[in-house]
Amino acid sequence: MASKPSLLVTRRMPDAVTARASRDYDAELNPDDRIMPQDEWLAKAEGKDGLMICSSEKVTAEAVARLPGSVKIISTFSVGHEHIDIEAVKASGRTVTNTPDVLNEAVADIAMLCLLGAARRAHEGQTLVRQGEWNGWYSTMLLGKDLTGARLGILGMGGIGQAIARRARGFGLAVHYHNRTRLAPELEGDAIYHDSAEGLAAVADFLSVSCPSTDETRGMVDADFIAALPPGAVLVNTARGDIVDDDAVIEALQSGRLRAAGLDVFKGEPALDVRYRSLPNVFLLPHLGSATDNTRDAMGFCCLDNLDAFFAGKACPTAL
């Protein structure tokens, strides 16, 4: 019987994913989930046929140049792939894959949680109750922002953006969006397309950042973008932290130019800008977008489906 392909799994995976990887591969695991320095995971890659990584592993051009020749495929446990120099990997003759689509619904749920949490001042309410400072009901206590009849601008209308739009309609929000390309009519539905990010900003009472982090989108939501939003807009980000300019967002939250924000992702996370922690009008989550049992299993299975296909000599389902 032919030997199993050897695989380095750089982070701890859900139990079902670990069981499948251990069954089908000669897998070196990381049960302690310790984030390995680049030199360490590169050393562990020696003799491995494939790598199953996460966004914590930065596959730079320099790292690609140091990869052992045995490594033929890199499968990332994420839909985002800004941590990988895709062109460098491809130029080296290797295959690289990600996990699109399987996390759309879970991330969209968190986007709506962030939107509602920010709009209805959930952090402030939780603080009152948990710290024993709630002294009873009164008519002007923690007044929030209505969703019904408001306009939601979705910056990036891929699978996640479309899932957010489906949920938003149920809350009475009118959906507007900007995307690199306009959606087909059957996908667009009643959503209103804007051919520029600036045009979208002008009508976004709520703004959901749902685009990938690329050279074009990093820092897009800056002071000028925020100034173009309607006064008192609410910002939601469940995409990547580096798409927003922290200085501009924090200044707008402090001044009231932005009424509130709901943030699940941060530049440099987990070392987020500490000023966010002291702002009462920010609803904060620790990058929970895809954090459900079923979704994380599906992400791992997607990685393994790609690896299975590659080592069987077939096309990878989600090759980049």
Side-chain angles (χ1 to χ4, degrees), residues 73-78 81 84 86 95-100 302-303 306-307 316-320:
I73 179 172
I74 300 172
S75 185
T76 183
F77 184 87
S78 62
H81 47 80
I84 303 173
I86 301 296
T95 296
V96 59
T97 69
N98 69 336
T99 64
C302 183
C303 286
N306 279 295
L307 291 161
C316 295
T318 61
L320 291 164

Side-chain angles (χ1 to χ4, degrees), residues 221-237:
V221 182
D222 58 11
D224 290 339
F225 191 104
I226 292 169
L229 293 168
V234 172
L235 170 68
V236 172
N237 188 6

Side-chain angles (χ1 to χ4, degrees), residues 123-124 127 131 246 249-250 253-254 261 263 266-286:
H123 166 66
E124 294 169 271
T127 300
Q131 295 186 358
D246 286 334
V249 170
I250 290 167
L253 288 165
Q254 291 171 333
L263 307 175
F266 307 89
K267 184 177 181 180
E269 61 185 51
L272 72 157
D273 191 310
V274 295
R275 293 175 292 174
Y276 282 122
R277 295 179 182 147
S278 63
L279 292 172
N281 54 340
V282 185
F283 181 79
L284 302 171
L285 292 176

Side-chain angles (χ1 to χ4, degrees), residues 67-304:
L67 275 173
S70 61
V71 175
K72 301 297 190 296
I73 179 172
I74 300 172
S75 185
T76 183
F77 184 87
S78 62
V79 61
H81 47 80
E82 67 281 353
H83 57 294
I84 303 173
D85 189 324
I86 301 296
E87 295 309 314
V89 174
K90 290 182 176 180
S92 73
R94 297 178 171 91
T95 296
V96 59
T97 69
N98 69 336
T99 64
D101 300 326
V102 294
L103 45 65
N104 292 352
E105 304 301 326
V107 175
D109 287 345
I110 287 289
M112 293 305 299
L113 175 60
C114 285
L115 191 155
L116 287 163
R120 297 302 300 272
R121 303 173 68 173
H123 166 66
E124 294 169 271
Q126 280 261 318
T127 300
L128 281 178
V129 175
R130 290 185 179 277
Q131 295 186 358
E133 297 173 356
W134 180 34
N135 296 316
W137 181 93
Y138 56 95
S139 66
T140 58
M141 182 177 68
L142 295 181
L143 300 182
K145 185 179 178 71
D146 284 315
L147 275 64
T148 302
R151 300 164 296 182
L152 171 64
I154 301 177
L155 186 61
M157 198 66 151
I160 294 171
Q162 292 170 48
I164 293 169
R166 290 194 294 272
R167 287 156 174 74
R169 292 182 179 102
F171 284 91
L173 286 157
V175 177
H176 295 248
Y177 76 98
H178 169 67
N179 205 44
R180 286 177 296 179
T181 56
R182 185 169 184 172
L183 297 181
E186 63 271 18
L187 296 177
E188 184 177 80
D190 61 357
I192 299 170
Y193 174 68
H194 297 263
D195 60 9
S196 71
E198 296 75 17
L200 176 68
V203 300
D205 302 310
F206 293 87
L207 177 74
S208 176
V209 179
S210 307
C211 56
S213 173
T214 66
D215 291 341
E216 293 73 29
T217 63
R218 290 184 194 107
M220 176 182 286
V221 182
D222 58 11
D224 290 339
F225 191 104
I226 292 169
L229 293 168
V234 172
L235 170 68
V236 172
N237 188 6
T238 56
R240 286 293 185 266
D242 61 7
I243 299 169
V244 308
D245 179 326
D246 286 334
D247 288 332
V249 170
I250 290 167
E251 181 179 347
L253 288 165
Q254 291 171 333
S255 70
R257 185 67 182 76
L258 281 175
R259 179 163 181 161
L263 307 175
D264 185 45
V265 291
F266 307 89
K267 184 177 181 180
E269 61 185 51
L272 72 157
D273 191 310
V274 295
R275 293 175 292 174
Y276 282 122
R277 295 179 182 147
S278 63
L279 292 172
N281 54 340
V282 185
F283 181 79
L284 302 171
L285 292 176
H287 202 148
L288 294 180
S290 61
T292 71
D293 295 332
N294 290 340
T295 299
R296 291 284 170 84
D297 281 352
M299 291 171 67
F301 295 154
C302 183
C303 286
L304 292 170

